[in-house]
Amino acid sequence: MSTTTAPPPLGTPIVQPIHHSAAYAFETLADARAVFAQRAGGFTYARTGNPNVAALEAEIARRERGVGAVAASSGQAAVALALLTLTGPARDAHAVVSSRIYGGTVDLLTDSLADTGLEVTFADPRVPQQWEDAVRDGTRVFFLETIANPLTELPELEAIARIAHRHGAVVLVDNTVATPQLCTPGEHGADFVVHSATKYLAGHGGPLGGLLVATGRFDPADDAARWPWLTEAHHRWGGRSPVEVFGAQKAVLGVARCKYLNDLGPCLGATAAHEILQGTATLDVRVLRQSATAAALAAVLVDHPAVERVHHPSLAEGRQHELYAEGGYRGGGGLLSFEVRGTAADAETVVNGLQLIRLAANIGDVRTLVAHPAGMTHCRLTPEQFRASGITERTLRLSVGLEDPAELTADLLRALARLAPAAAVPSAEAPATQAPARPREPVTAAAG
Ligand SMILES: *Cc1c(COP(=O)(O)O)cnc(C)c1O
């Protein structure tokens, strides 16, 4: 018997089509009832899920070696979903949070979520004792970043995670700057990982998005009385508990999606999910190249007389260098900061002198961007938070893109030459404000 082997009329796409549909149809009311009551899996309405969003969630969960993920409309939304799910219903909710954390996270914690009763103590991610000292009965969450934005400090993640777990708190890690290409925090004590997918995952400065990933370590049933909203039966879950409905490892994801994402509505759109997933296909090559270029630029800046200090994991010394090895980092990342020597006005002169490198508050783009954290991303910090952040009025942050490293070097040297003209091209004749710069080979893509 011969069979017909004609291709399907529309062909078979290699790239997943964009499922631009708000709602999903059911064959029977019985099928609809089962999915709505969370007795069966499936899409109902795109606020809580869609095939493009589900594909992105599966890919990021896989890269983070987690058990599942929930996507949201932005990194801020993902962080908010995580914190609401982990602390929202607790009357005594308290979080210990890194003092070196993204400015938007500080606003969320100390203003919008403070309105809900959440209390926060900030602690230095390099000093585990500060985290131990900050713990109270109500502490549910420790929150820190793998590579801090903007000063690129590496945290004492494993020591801090041990403290959290000893006190029955969960460890939430923002892995936006490191990306799963450079570091997988779940292998170093993190219970949950959040991402601003807007940055390196999407990679091209277009869509906003965020993700919350469960690493599978946290089981609320281990200390059921501490997490009653996850372990006790409730009308919302059909008279069962989230642990029963979603399973112990995914109870937090289930509540984040089916309660907070559903009720508050910060869902990721199908088109944005599609674009971010396309971006992740090149994540590894982008991040490796950006790490190498950032290390090469850091090496140029560290020798420059108009630069007082450079922050990049490739320059880490002492304990920071050990943490780089202990954390299993596979590169220093594309974020780099430096302190301009002189005054705030000198830093401004450098920023305004850059031509190829654009001034914008974003990271992870294929284009290199500069930001002035004190005047931009971190401008709402209180004087005390500002001091604890380590940022100054002379701190400039670079998010290194994919341009020719030699052109980026030239742009930086030209802008810095407005302060120290004789030092524009590093040479043995550089002024002696610092040890004379060594002559160096032109920076190439393979450098670092
Ligand atoms: C940008 C950023 C966020 C917030 O993400 P959005 O997508 O801008 O909402 C959170 N954490 C870090 C480290 C970020 O860089």
Side-chain angles (χ1 to χ4, degrees):
M1 261 215 337
S2 71
T3 51
T4 326
T5 53
L10 297 178
T12 306
I14 290 294
V15 178
Q16 183 188 29
I18 298 176
H19 295 260
H20 204 46
S21 177
Y24 293 83
F26 297 95
E27 288 299 318
T28 67
L29 179 56
D31 294 343
R33 280 189 205 279
V35 177
F36 271 85
Q38 272 124 26
R39 280 184 276 108
F43 301 113
T44 56
Y45 184 70
R47 196 185 319 119
T48 50
N50 148 299
N52 297 102
V53 172
L56 175 65
E57 290 169 345
E59 173 60 8
I60 303 308
R62 182 189 72 77
R63 284 181 177 266
E64 289 288 0
R65 295 170 202 163
V67 297
V70 173
S73 56
S74 67
Q76 284 295 108
V79 172
L81 290 179
L83 289 169
L84 284 168
T85 307
L86 292 168
T87 68
R91 291 285 65 86
D92 58 351
H94 174 249
V96 188
V97 177
S98 168
S99 55
R100 310 283 173 129
I101 206 154
Y102 177 67
T105 305
V106 176
D107 290 343
L108 173 68
L109 285 161
T110 60
D111 195 354
S112 294
L113 286 179
D115 292 346
T116 71
L118 177 64
E119 295 188 11
V120 175
T121 307
F122 289 98
D124 191 316
R126 298 161 299 180
V127 189
Q129 188 62 41
Q130 290 189 8
W131 297 71
E132 178 82 53
D133 294 344
V135 171
R136 317 175 181 166
D137 287 346
T139 306
R140 299 299 199 294
V141 181
F142 276 22
F143 187 13
L144 64 165
E145 295 175 1
T146 32
I147 297 179
N149 172 8
L151 299 184
T152 73
E153 300 96 339
L154 308 180
E156 291 275 359
L157 177 55
E158 292 185 6
I160 289 171
R162 277 194 298 273
I163 295 168
H165 294 147
R166 187 152 27 82
H167 292 285
V170 302
V171 179
L172 174 64
V173 172
D174 185 332
N175 201 29
T176 298
V177 174
T179 81
Q181 167 60 28
L182 300 184
C183 178
T184 30
E187 296 176 319
H188 301 276
D191 301 290
F192 297 93
V193 177
V194 283
H195 276 282
S196 168
T198 315
K199 315 293 171 52
Y200 291 95
L201 300 183
H204 299 72
L208 269 72
L211 288 119
L212 164 62
V213 182
T215 66
R217 306 175 49 117
F218 175 55
D219 181 349
D222 287 345
D223 189 0
R226 201 168 166 71
W227 308 95
W229 62 94
L230 300 174
T231 58
E232 290 178 8
H234 192 278
H235 175 72
R236 173 108 196 193
W237 313 111
R240 295 186 293 162
S241 73
V243 167
E244 286 175 90
V245 174
F246 304 108
Q249 288 185 316
K250 294 192 182 178
V252 164
L253 295 182
V255 173
R257 185 192 307 281
C258 299
K259 176 173 169 172
Y260 292 106
L261 187 62
N262 183 64
D263 292 4
L264 300 174
C267 57
L268 186 64
T271 308
H274 171 86
E275 266 190 79
I276 295 166
L277 187 59
Q278 289 285 74
T280 62
T282 57
L283 177 70
D284 302 3
V285 284
R286 279 188 284 108
V287 170
L288 290 180
R289 159 82 178 237
Q290 288 163 334
S291 292
T293 306
L297 296 180
V300 169
L301 289 170
V302 87
D303 279 343
H304 198 286
V307 173
E308 191 172 294
R309 245 194 107 179
V310 183
H311 309 270
H312 186 258
S314 63
L315 301 173
E317 290 173 349
R319 182 64 190 142
Q320 285 285 298
H321 186 70
E322 288 171 17
L323 286 172
Y324 186 86
E326 286 173 20
Y329 291 89
R330 296 177 282 268
L335 207 65
L336 152 77
S337 291
F338 62 99
E339 305 285 318
V340 175
R341 200 180 282 284
T343 64
D346 291 327
E348 195 153 352
T349 301
V350 174
V351 169
N352 293 336
L354 291 166
Q355 290 167 10
L356 175 63
I357 300 173
R358 309 282 301 278
L359 177 62
N362 194 17
I363 61 171
D365 199 324
V366 291
R367 287 152 283 252
T368 300
L369 303 174
V370 64
H372 181 260
M376 296 168 69
T377 47
H378 291 66
C379 70
R380 281 182 296 279
L381 299 193
T382 63
E384 191 194 334
Q385 288 164 354
F386 188 69
R387 268 192 305 280
S389 75
I391 300 164
T392 76
E393 287 289 339
R394 295 181 290 113
T395 307
L396 299 183
R397 180 190 76 187
L398 294 178
S399 169
V400 175
L402 296 181
E403 301 93 335
D404 179 352
E407 287 184 29
L408 292 171
T409 305
D411 197 33
L412 277 169
L413 292 179
R414 197 165 43 232
L416 287 164
R418 295 168 60 143
L419 303 181
V425 179
S427 75
E429 286 88 53
T433 52
Q434 202 183 23
R438 297 184 297 278
R440 58 177 61 248
E441 295 301 307
V443 177
T444 67

